[in-house]
């Protein structure tokens, strides 16, 4: 059985106004995340899928991220199967931080990748 290759992009290819979906757990999100990202932990994803479809009803591309790319690859595969334009961000938040992309926390402390 052949599977289509998973669509993925380098962290540098995520537009500054691109839609980012962060599927890491709450403690990872709290440590630091991409500004403006939607946070739905992979463990809650199926139950909260409607939040994503509502946020992307304009058909824009979803850039899926986790810490290094494993969990986000699974979520990306699921989204593509649902007909959503989704891409996995290679290297995840570690690559994001390494590329100097902006990161924030909800409480104003310095952001880092947990």
């Amino acid at each position: 059985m052949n599977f289509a290759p998973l669509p993925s992009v380098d962290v540098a290819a995520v537009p500054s106004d691109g839609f980012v979906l962060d599927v890491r757990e709450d403690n990872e999100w709290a440590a630091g995340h991409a500004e403006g990202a939607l946070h739905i932990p992979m463990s809650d994803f199926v139950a909260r899928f409607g939040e994503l479809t509502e946020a992307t009803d304009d058909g824009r591309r979803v850039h899926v991220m986790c810490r290094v790319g494993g969990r986000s690859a699974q979520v990306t595969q699921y989204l593509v199967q649902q007909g959503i334009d989704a891409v996995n961000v290679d290297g995840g938040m570690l690559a994001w931080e390494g590329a100097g992309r902006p990161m924030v926390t909800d409480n104003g402390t310095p952001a880092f990748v947990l």
Side-chain angles (χ1 to χ4, degrees):
M1 187 176 217
N2 286 336
F3 290 98
L6 187 71
S8 62
V9 295
D10 185 80
V11 73
V14 179
S16 57
D17 62 346
F19 184 83
V20 175
L21 171 67
D22 190 322
V23 298
R24 298 175 301 153
E25 295 305 311
D26 291 337
N27 61 330
E28 294 173 284
W29 169 264
H33 52 268
E35 193 167 8
L38 175 64
H39 179 227
I40 303 178
M42 185 171 147
S43 54
D44 296 343
F45 195 75
V46 175
R48 294 175 58 190
F49 182 62
E51 290 175 44
L52 176 69
T53 55
E54 204 172 284
T56 59
D57 62 0
D58 54 5
R60 61 186 157 160
R61 170 166 281 184
V62 178
H63 300 85
V64 189
M65 272 209 293
C66 64
R67 186 169 183 267
V68 291
R71 289 170 286 180
S72 55
Q74 294 176 55
V75 172
T76 300
Q77 192 167 35
Y78 175 78
L79 293 176
V80 169
Q81 288 168 348
Q82 308 303 312
I84 291 172
D85 179 11
V87 293
N88 190 33
V89 178
D90 285 334
M93 283 302 298
L94 286 176
W96 185 270
E97 183 180 47
R101 299 292 299 258
M103 288 173 41
V104 296
T105 59
D106 293 336
N107 61 10
T109 58
F112 66 98
V113 176
L114 187 64

